[in-house]
């Protein structure tokens, strides 16, 4: 049973441009749908940095990794995997497919990049944890935040009653634009506010 549909002239011209031989509009649409559905069936690419074996060994030792999920719409989602119970007997890929990559098709995930995060030195001048915190709250990868080191000014934000409730970051003009463009709430004057609070030890840095 066939159905009649109306399309604009511009859409019809685009369909015609994709015709092969004497394809009808119906055949062109069917082929395009087949291409889309086929792409959705391809499981996301897993990229372990620097390699899958080295990643697993380092994850067992350091217990924390950054996962960057790339989506079909061009967006990305960055999260931290706290793998406290992960050990030599754990199945790395099974953990990912049943966890962060579960329902990947519905979420539009096409690629996942995984890299173990460094462990802080737990010294007063070590800012590893602070850099990770900044990256998480700005939607950046840890390595991207490292590239911005020394290129921004931090100020503390307070409530009307004078209590601390976050920070603001103002990035200098020399900060890489390709990284700044990934910060969704960044204003035109390179200013952004973060309202999540530091841990007590971070407040005292």
């Amino acid at each position: 049973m066939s159905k009649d549909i109306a399309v604009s002239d511009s859409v019809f011209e685009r369909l015609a441009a994709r015709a092969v031989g004497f394809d009808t509009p119906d055949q062109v649409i069917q082929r395009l749908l087949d291409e889309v559905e086929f792409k959705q069936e391809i499981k996301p690419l897993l990229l372990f940095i620097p390699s899958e074996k080295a990643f697993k060994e380092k994850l067992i030792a350091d217990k924390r990794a950054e996962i960057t999920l790339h989506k079909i719409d061009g967006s990305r989602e960055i999260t931290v995997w706290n793998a406290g119970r992960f050990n030599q007997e754990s199945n790395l890929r099974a953990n990912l497919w049943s966890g962060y990559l579960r329902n990947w098709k519905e979420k539009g995930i096409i690629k996942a990049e995984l890299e173990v995060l460094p462990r802080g030195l737990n010294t007063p001048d070590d800012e590893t944890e602070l850099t990770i915190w900044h990256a998480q709250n700005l939607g950046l990868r840890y390595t991207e935040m490292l590239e911005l080191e020394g290129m921004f000014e931090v100020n503390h934000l307070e409530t009307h009653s004078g209590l601390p409730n976050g920070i603001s970051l103002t990035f200098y003009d020399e900060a890489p634009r390709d990284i700044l463009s990934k910060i969704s709430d960044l204003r035109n004057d390179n200013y952004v506010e973060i309202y999540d609070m530091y841990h007590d030890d971070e407040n005292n840095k």
Side-chain angles (χ1 to χ4, degrees):
M1 181 178 178
S2 61
K3 300 284 186 180
D4 292 331
I5 60 173
V7 298
S8 65
D9 290 341
S10 60
V11 171
F12 186 84
E13 290 174 1
R14 292 173 65 186
L15 289 173
R18 290 182 173 270
V20 177
F22 296 98
D23 273 352
T24 63
D26 179 79
Q27 290 171 318
V28 175
I29 294 172
Q30 183 174 353
R31 187 170 63 253
L32 292 173
L33 288 173
D34 288 342
E35 290 178 4
V36 171
E37 290 171 358
F38 174 74
K39 289 178 180 178
Q40 290 179 339
E41 292 299 328
I42 299 177
K43 296 183 77 171
L45 170 68
L46 302 186
L47 178 61
F48 298 94
I49 301 172
S51 68
E52 185 168 350
K53 180 180 179 181
F55 173 86
K56 181 174 181 179
E57 291 176 352
K58 195 164 179 58
L59 182 63
I60 292 171
D62 294 347
K63 302 299 184 183
R64 184 174 57 172
E66 182 180 73
I67 301 178
T68 305
L69 302 175
H70 297 268
K71 301 186 178 182
I72 197 168
D73 63 0
S75 66
R76 67 180 188 176
E77 179 183 335
I78 302 173
T79 188
V80 172
W81 177 13
N82 291 302
R85 293 186 293 177
F86 192 86
N87 57 53
Q88 192 64 49
E89 304 303 317
S90 301
N91 187 314
L92 176 58
R93 288 179 177 257
N95 268 272
L96 293 171
W97 291 119
S98 63
Y100 293 99
L101 293 172
R102 181 184 296 172
N103 300 324
W104 58 268
K105 189 186 301 183
E106 291 79 2
K107 296 175 181 176
I109 300 171
I110 58 175
K111 183 173 73 171
E113 292 182 83
L114 301 100
E115 185 170 11
V116 174
L117 288 167
R119 301 177 70 173
L121 300 176
N122 199 26
T123 59
D125 60 342
D126 180 69
E127 296 193 343
T128 300
E129 296 301 321
L130 183 59
T131 301
I132 293 173
W133 188 88
H134 281 155
Q136 281 186 272
N137 283 275
L138 294 175
L140 298 176
R141 298 177 65 172
Y142 173 73
T143 52
E144 293 171 340
M145 199 67 218
L146 281 181
E147 289 189 51
L148 295 174
E149 188 174 344
M151 297 185 182
F152 58 89
E153 177 182 322
V154 178
N155 287 291
H156 290 271
L157 302 174
E158 297 181 347
T159 63
H160 292 301
S161 58
L163 296 175
N165 70 337
I167 61 170
S168 68
L169 284 77
T170 302
F171 294 91
Y172 304 146
D173 291 339
E174 61 266 28
R177 297 306 308 177
D178 60 325
I179 296 179
L180 295 186
S181 65
K182 297 172 183 176
I183 303 174
S184 60
D185 295 326
L186 188 70
R187 299 190 330 200
N188 291 335
D189 56 356
N190 292 345
Y191 175 91
V192 65
E193 294 179 344
I194 301 175
Y195 285 100
D196 291 336
M197 288 301 299
Y198 288 139
H199 298 296
D200 290 340
D201 58 339
E202 290 169 339
N203 271 323
N204 294 324
K205 284 187 179 291

